[in-house]
Amino acid sequence: MPKVIVTGGSGKLGQACVRDLVEHGWDVVNVDQVPPPGEIGEIAPYVAVDLTDYGQVVSALGDVDEQTDGGVDAVVHLAAIPAPGRTANAVTFDNNVPSTYHILAAARLLNITNVVLASSETVLGLPFDVPPPYAPVDEEYFPRPESTYSLGKLLEETMAAQFCRWNPALKVSSLRFSNVMRPEDYARFPSFQDDPLLRKWNLWGYIDARDGAQGIRLALQREGTGFEAFIIANADTVMNRPSAELMAEVFPDVPLRGTITGNETLLSIKKAQRVLGYEPKYTWRDFV
C-alpha cells in the first residue's frame, strides 16, 4: 500500500481525510500535536510532532518507517491554526508559514515528490468586504489576502510553486478549502436563511469534510508534476434562495460569468472537476 503522512489528522478535516484514505487502501500515519479520537487512533498510527521544529519534521517524515514498513510516498499537510482570529496574527503566521516550509523542505530532502497542502478560500479575498471581481470566483485571478492568516496561505502557495520549479519531479496540489462542515454542523443552516448577509463573507460556500477528503485523495492521484491550486467546495451553497438572486441583492455590481442555476456554488469547482475528477457527494439538504 502507498504510505502517506497526514499532518493534522486529528482535526475536523484531518479525521475525514485519514478515514477516507484508509478506506481507499492507503497506509496512513497521523502526525499532529493533538492525539486523535478513538476510531482514528485505531486505524492510523499517531506520531506527536511540533511542525515548527524542522528537525522533528525531518525525523517524522524520514524515520516513520520505524513504526510501519517502508518509506513515505506522499504527504498531506493539513495541520495549522485553521482560521483568522484564533490567535494573535503574529502567532498564526509564526506557526503556519514555517510549518509549511518545513514540510516542503523535508520532502525535498527525503525525495518525497507528492505533496498536498491545505490552502484556504480566504486567498480569494474573503470576507469580501471588497466585492470579488466576478462570480463564481475561481483560480484565475491573483489572490487577494485580507488577513494575516490568508497572507500566510498565499506565501505557502508561493513557496510550493518555487519548490516545484527547483524540482521538476515534484507535484504539489494546493487545495483552497471552503468552510469545513460535519453533518452535525448542518443543524445551524436553517438560521442562515432569513438574512443573506450572515454568510456573504464567503459567497455562502461550505465544504462537507467527507467531500474535502475526496478532494485530497484525488489530488494525491493527480497525474503530472508541478504546482496547481484548486478550490474545493460543495456543489451548492448554504442557502435555499437561488445563487443568482443572492448575488443580485448583495453584490449587484459584481458581474456573473456563465449561467448560474439554482443553488449552484459561487466558489467555482470547475477546475477541480476537470483536472481531478472531483464531484461532491454530500449536501446539507440531506441532513436538515
Side-chain angles (χ1 to χ4, degrees):
M1 293 188 294
K3 182 176 297 175
V4 59
I5 298 286
V6 176
T7 76
S10 301
K12 180 186 282 190
L13 179 58
Q15 292 178 43
C17 171
V18 169
R19 188 178 297 111
D20 181 88
L21 290 175
V22 169
E23 289 174 353
H24 287 84
W26 287 79
D27 183 1
V28 180
V29 178
N30 174 22
V31 168
D32 206 321
Q33 286 189 295
V34 178
E39 179 205 353
I40 302 303
E42 292 171 2
I43 66 175
Y46 163 68
V47 181
V49 175
D50 178 359
L51 298 179
T52 65
D53 184 322
Y54 179 62
Q56 290 190 42
V57 175
V58 172
S59 179
L61 270 59
D63 296 338
V64 70
D65 57 345
E66 291 182 1
Q67 297 216 13
T68 54
D69 295 331
V72 173
D73 299 291
V75 178
V76 174
H77 178 44
L78 306 179
I81 294 171
R86 300 290 183 91
T87 61
N89 286 339
V91 173
T92 299
F93 189 95
D94 289 347
N95 180 84
N96 290 3
V97 178
S99 295
T100 299
Y101 170 78
H102 293 160
I103 290 291
L104 292 168
R108 185 184 188 206
L109 178 69
L110 299 168
N111 198 33
I112 300 168
T113 58
N114 189 2
V115 179
V116 174
L117 300 180
S119 186
S120 167
E121 62 183 355
T122 61
V123 302
L124 300 167
L126 274 63
F128 290 129
D129 293 331
V130 175
Y134 53 82
V137 295
D138 58 21
E139 301 87 353
E140 297 305 313
Y141 65 90
F142 194 78
R144 300 177 169 194
E146 299 290 351
S147 65
T148 296
Y149 168 83
S150 181
L151 176 63
K153 290 299 183 183
L154 174 57
L155 294 176
E156 292 166 27
E157 289 191 355
T158 303
M159 284 193 296
Q162 295 306 312
F163 270 87
C164 288
R165 183 177 64 84
W166 292 346
N167 180 8
L170 176 62
K171 176 183 70 175
V172 179
S173 302
S174 183
L175 305 186
R176 297 173 177 178
F177 291 107
S178 188
N179 189 197
V180 178
M181 299 288 177
R182 291 172 172 161
E184 54 266 34
D185 297 321
Y186 295 142
R188 297 186 290 117
F189 280 36
S191 69
F192 303 151
Q193 305 308 316
D194 292 337
D195 185 357
L197 299 182
L198 289 176
R199 294 279 308 191
K200 75 161 187 126
W201 56 270
N202 76 336
L203 298 186
W204 308 279
Y206 75 107
I207 178 67
D208 187 289
R210 294 162 296 182
D211 283 322
Q214 177 204 159
I216 292 167
R217 172 168 42 83
L218 293 172
L220 287 171
Q221 297 169 355
R222 172 169 72 90
E223 295 183 0
T225 59
F227 174 82
E228 292 286 352
F230 301 92
I231 295 171
I232 302 294
N234 270 74
D236 60 346
T237 70
V238 304
M239 302 294 283
N240 285 322
R241 290 176 59 187
S243 299
E245 181 181 307
L246 291 166
M247 289 298 298
E249 177 179 337
V250 180
F251 296 103
D253 298 323
V254 173
L256 300 183
R257 292 190 169 183
T259 301
I260 300 173
T261 59
N263 308 109
E264 179 182 342
T265 180
L266 294 160
L267 305 173
S268 176
I269 56 175
K270 290 183 178 178
K271 180 179 178 181
Q273 289 173 314
R274 182 180 71 254
V275 177
L276 302 180
Y278 171 68
E279 293 294 342
K281 296 180 179 179
Y282 301 95
T283 173
W284 68 274
R285 300 166 211 281
D286 294 335
F287 296 87
V288 177

